Amino acid sequence: MHLLEALLLCLAACGLSEAHTYCSVKGKNIAPEGKASQISVYHGRLGIGTAQSAIDGNREGVYNLGSCILTRSESNPWWKLDFHKPRKVGAVVLVNRIDCCWERLMGAEVRIGNSMDNKNPVCGTVTEVGPGLVTTFCCQGMEGRYVSVVNPGYEGLMNLCEVEVYPEGSPRPCL
């Protein structure tokens, strides 16, 4: 067995998976430098499921442990990060929920730009979902004040457990 095959089997056995890794994730995660918001909060009074939970540096995928966001049932639900000034983005990493409902993220788009209405250019679209799936989108230096996750045409709840944003990096081929 080749080393890569052994590594992939080990990751699968541990329940860890990653999709769409097309670029290097270099440098420090800059997401905590921004201010997060979302269309609504499902459990607002309980203090969980809020926008800031997605940039707390914790990839925990169990919602009740407090590190995931959850909106109410909405048309075109969204989550957004405001850096207050344009930033060049090399990669955006999304971590899906592990305990249930991971399919809610299917079709969500990562958008980057300077328009606060979430109609910025698309860096990538979620085309694969699964429990705790980590998806990396290479944004190749797209620049913008806002990084948002929007699910256009979807009616329902939106959840995700971490959003990481990395400064412009060097593209590399998939493994």
Side-chain angles (χ1 to χ4, degrees), residues 92-127:
V92 175
V93 176
L94 301 182
V95 180
N96 206 342
R97 191 169 165 176
I98 198 167
D99 56 343
C100 86
C101 319
W102 49 86
E103 69 282 349
R104 293 174 180 162
L105 209 51
M106 180 61 89
E109 298 172 341
V110 173
R111 295 175 167 263
I112 299 170
N114 292 315
S115 176
M116 64 185 306
D117 68 2
N118 294 323
K119 295 187 181 188
N120 289 308
V122 175
C123 167
T125 303
V126 175
T127 58

Side-chain angles (χ1 to χ4, degrees), residues 79-99:
W79 175 94
K80 179 171 47 181
L81 188 59
D82 180 356
F83 284 113
H84 304 288
K85 64 180 182 180
R87 303 292 297 260
K88 283 195 174 195
V89 177
V92 175
V93 176
L94 301 182
V95 180
N96 206 342
R97 191 169 165 176
I98 198 167
D99 56 343

Side-chain angles (χ1 to χ4, degrees), residues 33-44:
E33 297 173 16
K35 179 166 177 49
S37 60
Q38 63 195 51
I39 192 169
S40 62
V41 180
Y42 189 84
H43 287 113

Side-chain angles (χ1 to χ4, degrees), residues 18-81:
E18 188 149 337
H20 308 288
T21 305
Y22 299 115
C23 56
S24 61
V25 177
K26 289 179 151 184
K28 176 180 106 169
N29 172 16
I30 60 173
E33 297 173 16
K35 179 166 177 49
S37 60
Q38 63 195 51
I39 192 169
S40 62
V41 180
Y42 189 84
H43 287 113
R45 284 180 275 146
L46 298 177
I48 61 172
T50 64
Q52 288 297 120
S53 299
I55 58 170
D56 63 1
N58 185 351
R59 287 185 171 192
E60 173 58 57
V62 177
Y63 176 73
N64 285 334
L65 295 179
S67 190
C68 301
I69 72 110
L70 180 61
T71 70
R72 291 187 187 117
S73 186
E74 304 276 359
S75 294
N76 310 308
W78 56 264
W79 175 94
K80 179 171 47 181
L81 188 59

